[in-house]
Amino acid sequence: MQFLLALIVAGPLVGAAAALLPAPPGLKGKSPDQAVLRHGVVVTGVILLAAIVLALGFDHDQPSTMQATTDITWIKALDVRVHLGVDGISLPLLVLTALLTFLCALYSYFKMPSGPSPKGFVALLLVLESGTLATFAVLDLVLFFLAFEMVLVPMYFLIARWGGEGKQAAAWKFILYTLLGSVVMLLGLLLIGVKAGTFDMVALATDNGRGLTTSVQVIAVLAIGIGLAVKTPMWPLHSWLPDAHTAAPTVGSVLLAGVLLKMGTYGFVRIVLPIAPDGMRTFAPYLAAFAVAGIIYGSLACLALVRPGNKGDLKRLIAYSSVGHMGFVLLGIATMTPTGVNGALFANVAHGLVTGLLFFLVGAVKDRYGTADLDTLAGATGAALYGRAPRLGALLAFAAVASLGLPGLAGFWGEMLALFGAFDPAEGLSRPAFLTFMAIGAFGTLLTAAYLLLVVRRVCMGGPRPAGETPIADVQGYEFAAWTPLVALTVLAGLWPAVLLGLTDPAVQKLLAGGTQ
């Protein structure tokens, strides 16, 4: 188990280095480009297989216990250690990351985004995977920061070199926002480590803030929270996200929405909640207020984009929808209750599955029509996917209703539990305020349903294909292979939520109790 987790974290880095080397003559296939893309599929496939084996070997009777741990001294003078481990909170995100990266590598093998040599693309994809997996596996504050920052450079280059229109400006905006937030976050992490005398996240969580004064906790939560909120992203620190998604290639958008956004909310759960509970309690009402503001803002932005005549971009609309969906995650965390935090973790995974699928589908629509402009797609000779590509249209409609939180699909449970957590927040938090936040969040679910149903009506519905019009391709075999796991898991998580909640709940209970349960 220890070896498996180390392989999962470090394996993609080795694969990235190998991707930059010349391919052996017998493995080149038709061309070196094909060989390096196949290399990406193989490496991400091995990492996914290792993650599945790790999940199967995980002791599901003890999900609150750190398992597959490695603890080695790295920088003795600062007591920084190579400390790895997984529990019921991090395991689902680890598997989700491995799955989405493999599906992106598989999709890119058949549909490589236009840009420079595939060598750099595959290497960056693997470095991005390693950094994200490390973020969910490390148990040292310094290593967490390094892993958190490790993903910025590959994502910057994926947007800047393989993106679409406006890619340079979007990439710079992404890197500047996240770097500035990270600088502030580093100060908070160092403050905790220096004042507590250790950077070990397990020891700090067990101490539950008892070794830190309230003023230190408040300052630390403010600093760390800003950095995490930028990555989440929380309104009003979200403005880098729509530009990044609009310019990014399809697989870049899938990984950005499906994996990178989860790093911010995971940091709130793993670091802020257990290590500085008094500081978190001070800021929880403000976090909840920003969360519900993001829910409403994201929904209203989507409604504006979907209106006829507004030249709304479908990728941009899905990006704004992520601001709203992550608002539910932040609301659940702000309640500081097991119900709310479990809802936040569930919504994290559900958002990764559903929004990852949505960006795959929108990318496919854009490839076929040459545009993601809603007015063009909904015009007289526009998409009308039900008549022109019925399978593609059905999948887009499925992903949309999953995103709006239809009961029986993955999107429902996380949002519902986050709202339930707001109904009865943790002791010391104002219940009238959180009841207000719950009501606003519930109204946001109605707005979410409105804009997603309008998207389905405008893009999927319409008349039959006019005579003489060139037909478009329906779902291809490689697309079916890349999208089917996301569809299946969306249904499975919706019909059997205990698969996830059985993992997260004991770990959350222990985390909130300071390791005493």
Side-chain angles (χ1 to χ4, degrees):
M1 293 284 280
Q2 291 174 315
F3 171 77
L4 271 178
L5 185 57
L7 171 67
I8 290 168
V9 172
L13 280 181
V14 178
L20 298 175
L21 299 175
L27 297 177
K28 286 185 177 180
K30 296 179 182 177
S31 70
D33 288 350
Q34 184 192 40
V36 75
L37 290 171
R38 185 167 59 247
H39 170 78
V41 176
V42 171
V43 173
T44 55
V46 169
I47 299 303
L48 174 60
L49 181 61
I52 292 172
V53 172
L54 179 69
L56 293 175
F58 187 82
D59 185 354
H60 291 260
D61 294 328
Q62 300 291 331
S64 61
T65 303
M66 283 294 171
Q67 302 180 34
T69 55
T70 298
D71 193 0
I72 304 170
T73 298
W74 182 33
I75 306 175
K76 190 173 183 179
L78 299 176
D79 193 28
V80 177
R81 309 179 69 82
V82 179
H83 193 182
L84 306 176
V86 290
D87 63 357
I89 293 172
S90 53
L91 182 64
L93 293 171
L94 206 73
V95 176
L96 175 67
T97 300
L99 173 65
L100 285 177
T101 312
F102 169 70
L103 296 180
C104 286
L106 180 65
Y107 187 86
S108 299
Y109 179 76
F110 295 95
K111 188 70 178 178
M112 172 70 194
S114 58
S117 165
K119 273 193 173 186
F121 176 83
V122 171
L124 290 169
L125 191 70
L126 292 173
V127 172
L128 180 68
E129 179 181 31
S130 180
T132 313
L133 291 168
T135 302
F136 300 136
V138 297
L139 298 173
D140 183 278
L141 290 179
V142 175
L143 283 184
F144 177 85
F145 176 78
L146 294 176
F148 198 86
E149 294 304 287
M150 183 177 167
V151 304
L152 300 185
V153 173
M155 181 53 72
Y156 167 82
F157 281 109
L158 286 174
I159 296 172
R161 304 299 299 276
W162 285 271
E165 185 178 352
K167 58 187 180 182
Q168 293 294 339
W172 273 112
K173 197 170 185 179
F174 162 76
I175 198 78
L176 288 175
Y177 263 75
T178 48
L179 274 179
L180 289 173
S182 297
V183 169
V184 181
M185 183 179 75
L186 176 60
L187 296 177
L189 295 174
L190 292 176
L191 176 63
I192 287 178
V194 170
K195 291 294 184 181
T198 180
F199 290 100
D200 187 89
M201 292 160 64
V202 176
L204 289 166
T206 304
D207 188 63
N208 204 218
R210 287 182 286 270
L212 302 170
T213 64
T214 301
S215 59
V216 168
Q217 291 190 37
V218 169
I219 295 170
V221 169
L222 179 61
I224 296 170
I226 289 173
L228 296 175
V230 170
K231 186 66 74 73
T232 297
M234 179 186 78
W235 179 90
L237 303 174
H238 68 284
S239 60
W240 62 269
L241 184 70
D243 292 340
H245 271 308
T246 304
T250 295
V251 294
S253 291
V254 171
L255 292 175
L256 184 58
V259 177
L260 264 68
L261 302 190
K262 312 302 173 283
M263 295 165 61
T265 51
Y266 174 78
F268 274 107
V269 175
R270 178 65 74 196
I271 298 173
V272 178
L273 271 176
I275 294 175
D278 293 337
M280 180 64 184
R281 195 169 285 107
T282 300
F283 287 106
Y286 303 101
L287 180 63
F290 283 124
V292 296
I295 293 170
I296 300 300
Y297 172 84
S299 299
L300 292 178
C302 291
L303 283 170
L305 287 171
V306 80
R307 286 181 60 188
N310 280 2
K311 292 291 181 181
D313 185 279
L314 191 50
K315 285 189 74 175
R316 196 172 189 85
L317 183 145
I318 303 303
Y320 273 111
S321 78
S322 291
V323 176
H325 288 305
M326 298 311 289
F328 283 101
V329 178
L330 290 172
L331 177 61
I333 293 170
T335 67
M336 299 183 69
T337 62
T339 301
V341 176
N342 275 304
L345 294 171
F346 197 103
N348 252 348
V349 175
H351 180 264
L353 295 171
V354 175
T355 307
L357 177 60
L358 273 171
F359 275 116
F360 268 134
L361 293 166
V362 173
V365 171
K366 188 174 182 178
D367 287 339
R368 286 158 170 78
Y369 286 94
T371 181
D373 180 77
L374 275 163
D375 288 339
T376 303
L377 293 175
T381 60
L385 289 178
Y386 287 157
R388 291 169 169 80
R391 294 183 183 86
L392 184 59
L395 282 171
L396 183 60
F398 169 84
V401 296
S403 185
L404 65 82
L406 184 73
L409 297 176
F412 172 73
W413 295 105
E415 295 181 4
M416 184 193 72
L417 289 172
L419 294 175
F420 277 1
F423 181 77
D424 188 16
E427 185 179 351
L429 300 179
S430 170
R431 189 161 188 247
F434 273 83
L435 286 174
T436 304
F437 299 145
M438 183 193 75
I440 297 172
F443 178 66
T445 63
L446 300 179
L447 296 179
T448 302
Y451 71 73
L452 284 168
L453 291 175
L454 284 172
V455 166
V456 172
R457 187 180 74 177
R458 296 197 68 199
V459 177
C460 295
M461 298 181 181
R465 179 167 60 88
E469 182 185 288
T470 303
I472 66 166
D474 209 337
V475 178
Q476 303 295 295
Y478 70 93
E479 294 172 328
F480 182 80
W483 303 342
T484 298
L486 301 179
V487 173
L489 289 172
T490 298
V491 175
L492 176 64
L495 295 178
W496 195 12
V499 172
L500 271 179
L501 294 176
L503 280 173
T504 61
D505 185 53
V508 167
Q509 297 276 1
K510 181 177 179 179
L511 204 69
L512 294 178
T516 58
Q517 291 186 358

